[in-house]
Amino acid sequence: QVQLVESGGGLVQAGGSLRLSCAASGSIFRINAMGYYRQAPGKQRELVAAITSGGSTNYADSVKGRFTISRDNAKNTVYLQMNSLKPEDTGIYYCNVVGLAYGYWGQGTQVTVSS
């Protein structure tokens, strides 16, 4: 059984910062990539940022230069540092973990950015 425990969401004013974290535990082997997706009300879930086990990163154009994703492979934990937040960053952020033959989602954490 695999668990993804997310933390770090909340309410922040525009221009502020938040840091999300997601720790994977349980019967999980050889994680290839970890990342975050978000879903705003009435919109489809979209990739925010992802990072491979080798450290390669991928960001949505809308967050480049503002968000930084990192991971601790020993702890199976991924972090998303979000700076210069905008109201359009509001949504539920879901952690995603992908291996060779599996994929898991976290329960989601709410991020609300007020103008």
Side-chain angles (χ1 to χ4, degrees):
Q1 190 173 359
V2 174
Q3 283 189 321
L4 299 183
V5 178
E6 299 186 55
S7 62
L11 172 65
V12 66
Q13 287 188 332
S17 298
L18 286 173
R19 188 188 192 218
L20 306 183
S21 65
C22 173
S25 63
S27 300
I28 192 163
F29 303 100
R30 293 192 177 183
I31 297 174
N32 287 343
M34 304 181 79
Y36 278 93
Y37 288 69
R38 69 184 176 195
Q39 188 164 18
K43 295 188 177 181
Q44 289 187 329
R45 193 174 296 189
E46 62 175 358
L47 174 69
V48 176
I51 184 168
T52 69
S53 57
S56 297
T57 58
N58 183 32
Y59 294 94
D61 288 342
S62 60
V63 307
K64 285 180 181 177
R66 300 188 297 121
F67 292 10
T68 302
I69 192 166
S70 60
R71 64 186 281 180
D72 184 332
N73 289 332
K75 296 181 179 179
N76 287 335
T77 299
V78 63
Y79 307 95
L80 184 66
Q81 178 66 42
M82 305 185 293
N83 298 329
S84 301
L85 282 161
K86 303 176 181 180
E88 50 264 44
D89 294 317
T90 294
I92 301 175
Y93 283 67
Y94 296 92
C95 175
N96 177 250
V97 172
V98 176
L100 186 61
Y102 62 82
Y104 298 103
W105 292 94
Q107 79 279 7
T109 186
Q110 177 70 45
V111 171
T112 303
V113 184
S114 63
S115 57

